[in-house]
Amino acid sequence: MVIATALLAIIGLIGGYLLSERRGATLPDPDPAPTAALLPAGQACLDRTQKMGAQFGADGELRQVLRVRTESRAVVWVCQDAGGTLYYHANKGGAEAPWVENQTALFLAHVQYDGVGAFTATATDGATFTVSSTRLVITHRDGTVEEQDVVQD
């Protein structure tokens, strides 16, 4: 009787173990958490960009993934928060010129990355700003396109 009880206990333990292993191996996570693909980021973005990011719900500190200066002296930053969301911030006169949001400066959230080096942001009026390490292309709402080459600092 003791031997039979011990055998049943061992069979039960082995069966439970095998079922748990099988369940773990055959039941995938039905709703895996999405993960943002973080781009390599450099130094912290400007304080004014940090403040704008906070207003737009940025997750932690914004870090630079791209900074360019165009032939028209505009400076454009693409920054990324800890969750991988991208932000666009530009100023017509550069970093040292006066900053007036929505006049000389423009901050846009939800920037799209094309996977090969270009970032596109869309303004509330429908204009799009596509920036890469070589060029800034602004497509205005009326369809006119303005292209500016990037220059070395």
Side-chain angles (χ1 to χ4, degrees), residues 19-42:
L19 282 174
S20 70
E21 285 296 306
R22 182 170 182 242
R23 184 175 301 159
T26 61
L27 294 178
D29 185 358
D31 188 22
T35 56
L38 295 175
L39 297 169

CSV table of all heavy atoms in Angstrom, one decimal, residues 19-42:
chain,number,residue,atom,x,y,z
A,19,LEU,N,2.9,18.5,-17.9
A,19,LEU,CA,1.8,19.4,-18.4
A,19,LEU,C,2.2,20.9,-18.3
A,19,LEU,O,2.0,21.7,-19.2
A,19,LEU,CB,0.5,19.2,-17.5
A,19,LEU,CG,-0.3,18.0,-17.9
A,19,LEU,CD1,-1.5,17.8,-16.9
A,19,LEU,CD2,-0.9,18.1,-19.3
A,20,SER,N,2.9,21.3,-17.2
A,20,SER,CA,3.4,22.6,-17.1
A,20,SER,C,4.4,23.0,-18.2
A,20,SER,O,4.4,24.1,-18.7
A,20,SER,CB,3.9,22.9,-15.7
A,20,SER,OG,5.1,22.3,-15.5
A,21,GLU,N,5.3,22.0,-18.5
A,21,GLU,CA,6.3,22.2,-19.5
A,21,GLU,C,5.6,22.4,-20.9
A,21,GLU,O,5.9,23.2,-21.7
A,21,GLU,CB,7.3,21.1,-19.6
A,21,GLU,CG,8.3,21.1,-18.4
A,21,GLU,CD,9.2,22.4,-18.5
A,21,GLU,OE1,9.8,22.6,-19.6
A,21,GLU,OE2,9.2,23.1,-17.5
A,22,ARG,N,4.6,21.5,-21.1
A,22,ARG,CA,3.9,21.5,-22.4
A,22,ARG,C,3.1,22.8,-22.6
A,22,ARG,O,3.1,23.4,-23.6
A,22,ARG,CB,3.0,20.3,-22.5
A,22,ARG,CG,2.2,20.3,-23.8
A,22,ARG,CD,1.5,18.9,-23.9
A,22,ARG,NE,0.8,18.9,-25.2
A,22,ARG,CZ,-0.5,18.9,-25.4
A,22,ARG,NH1,-1.3,18.8,-24.4
A,22,ARG,NH2,-1.0,18.9,-26.6
A,23,ARG,N,2.5,23.2,-21.5
A,23,ARG,CA,1.7,24.5,-21.5
A,23,ARG,C,2.6,25.7,-21.8
A,23,ARG,O,2.3,26.5,-22.6
A,23,ARG,CB,1.0,24.7,-20.2
A,23,ARG,CG,0.1,25.9,-20.2
A,23,ARG,CD,-0.7,26.1,-19.0
A,23,ARG,NE,-1.6,24.9,-18.8
A,23,ARG,CZ,-2.1,24.5,-17.7
A,23,ARG,NH1,-1.9,25.2,-16.6
A,23,ARG,NH2,-2.8,23.4,-17.6
A,24,GLY,N,3.8,25.7,-21.2
A,24,GLY,CA,4.7,26.8,-21.4
A,24,GLY,C,5.3,26.8,-22.8
A,24,GLY,O,5.5,27.8,-23.4
A,25,ALA,N,5.4,25.6,-23.4
A,25,ALA,CA,6.0,25.5,-24.7
A,25,ALA,C,5.0,25.8,-25.8
A,25,ALA,O,5.3,26.2,-26.9
A,25,ALA,CB,6.7,24.2,-24.9
A,26,THR,N,3.7,25.5,-25.6
A,26,THR,CA,2.8,25.5,-26.7
A,26,THR,C,1.8,26.7,-26.6
A,26,THR,O,1.1,26.9,-27.5
A,26,THR,CB,1.9,24.2,-26.7
A,26,THR,OG1,1.2,24.1,-25.5
A,26,THR,CG2,2.8,23.0,-27.0
A,27,LEU,N,1.8,27.4,-25.5
A,27,LEU,CA,0.9,28.5,-25.3
A,27,LEU,C,1.7,29.9,-25.5
A,27,LEU,O,2.2,30.3,-24.5
A,27,LEU,CB,0.1,28.5,-24.0
A,27,LEU,CG,-0.8,27.3,-23.8
A,27,LEU,CD1,-1.4,27.4,-22.4
A,27,LEU,CD2,-1.9,27.3,-24.9
A,28,PRO,N,1.7,30.5,-26.6
A,28,PRO,CA,2.4,31.7,-26.8
A,28,PRO,C,1.6,32.8,-26.0
A,28,PRO,O,0.4,32.7,-25.8
A,28,PRO,CB,2.4,32.0,-28.3
A,28,PRO,CG,1.2,31.3,-28.8
A,28,PRO,CD,1.0,30.0,-27.9
A,29,ASP,N,2.4,33.9,-25.7
A,29,ASP,CA,1.8,35.0,-25.1
A,29,ASP,C,0.7,35.6,-26.0
A,29,ASP,O,1.0,36.0,-27.1
A,29,ASP,CB,2.8,36.1,-24.7
A,29,ASP,CG,2.3,37.3,-24.0
A,29,ASP,OD1,1.1,37.3,-23.7
A,29,ASP,OD2,3.1,38.1,-23.6
A,30,PRO,N,-0.6,35.7,-25.6
A,30,PRO,CA,-1.6,36.1,-26.6
A,30,PRO,C,-1.5,37.6,-26.9
A,30,PRO,O,-2.0,38.0,-27.9
A,30,PRO,CB,-2.9,35.8,-25.8
A,30,PRO,CG,-2.5,35.8,-24.4
A,30,PRO,CD,-1.1,35.3,-24.4
A,31,ASP,N,-0.9,38.4,-26.0
A,31,ASP,CA,-0.8,39.8,-26.3
A,31,ASP,C,0.5,40.3,-25.8
A,31,ASP,O,0.7,41.0,-24.8
A,31,ASP,CB,-1.9,40.5,-25.5
A,31,ASP,CG,-2.0,42.0,-25.8
A,31,ASP,OD1,-1.6,42.4,-26.9
A,31,ASP,OD2,-2.6,42.7,-25.0
A,32,PRO,N,1.6,40.0,-26.6
A,32,PRO,CA,2.9,40.5,-26.2
A,32,PRO,C,3.0,42.0,-26.2
A,32,PRO,O,2.3,42.7,-27.0
A,32,PRO,CB,3.8,39.9,-27.3
A,32,PRO,CG,3.0,39.6,-28.4
A,32,PRO,CD,1.6,39.4,-27.9
A,33,ALA,N,3.7,42.5,-25.2
A,33,ALA,CA,3.8,44.0,-25.1
A,33,ALA,C,4.6,44.5,-26.3
A,33,ALA,O,5.7,44.0,-26.6
A,33,ALA,CB,4.5,44.4,-23.8
A,34,PRO,N,4.1,45.6,-27.0
A,34,PRO,CA,4.9,46.1,-28.1
A,34,PRO,C,6.2,46.8,-27.5
A,34,PRO,O,6.2,47.4,-26.4
A,34,PRO,CB,4.0,47.2,-28.7
A,34,PRO,CG,3.0,47.5,-27.6
A,34,PRO,CD,2.9,46.3,-26.7
A,35,THR,N,7.2,46.7,-28.3
A,35,THR,CA,8.5,47.4,-27.9
A,35,THR,C,8.9,48.4,-29.0
A,35,THR,O,8.7,48.1,-30.2
A,35,THR,CB,9.6,46.4,-27.7
A,35,THR,OG1,9.8,45.6,-28.9
A,35,THR,CG2,9.3,45.4,-26.6
A,36,ALA,N,9.3,49.5,-28.6
A,36,ALA,CA,9.7,50.6,-29.5
A,36,ALA,C,11.2,50.3,-29.9
A,36,ALA,O,12.0,49.9,-29.1
A,36,ALA,CB,9.6,51.9,-28.9
A,37,ALA,N,11.4,50.5,-31.2
A,37,ALA,CA,12.8,50.3,-31.6
A,37,ALA,C,13.5,51.6,-31.4
A,37,ALA,O,13.3,52.6,-32.0
A,37,ALA,CB,12.8,49.9,-33.1
A,38,LEU,N,14.4,51.6,-30.4
A,38,LEU,CA,15.2,52.8,-30.1
A,38,LEU,C,16.3,53.0,-31.1
A,38,LEU,O,17.0,52.1,-31.4
A,38,LEU,CB,15.7,52.7,-28.7
A,38,LEU,CG,14.7,52.6,-27.6
A,38,LEU,CD1,15.3,52.4,-26.2
A,38,LEU,CD2,13.8,53.9,-27.5
A,39,LEU,N,16.4,54.2,-31.5
A,39,LEU,CA,17.5,54.6,-32.4
A,39,LEU,C,18.7,55.0,-31.6
A,39,LEU,O,18.5,55.4,-30.4
A,39,LEU,CB,17.1,55.7,-33.3
A,39,LEU,CG,15.9,55.4,-34.3
A,39,LEU,CD1,15.4,56.7,-34.9
A,39,LEU,CD2,16.4,54.5,-35.3
A,40,PRO,N,19.9,54.9,-32.1
A,40,PRO,CA,21.1,55.4,-31.3
A,40,PRO,C,20.9,56.9,-31.0
A,40,PRO,O,20.7,57.6,-32.0
A,40,PRO,CB,22.3,55.1,-32.2
A,40,PRO,CG,21.8,54.1,-33.2
A,40,PRO,CD,20.3,54.3,-33.4
A,41,ALA,N,21.0,57.2,-29.8
A,41,ALA,CA,20.8,58.6,-29.4
A,41,ALA,C,22.0,59.2,-28.8
A,41,ALA,O,22.8,58.5,-28.1
A,41,ALA,CB,19.6,58.7,-28.5
A,42,GLY,N,22.3,60.5,-29.0
A,42,GLY,CA,23.4,61.1,-28.5
A,42,GLY,C,23.1,62.0,-27.3
A,42,GLY,O,22.4,61.5,-26.4
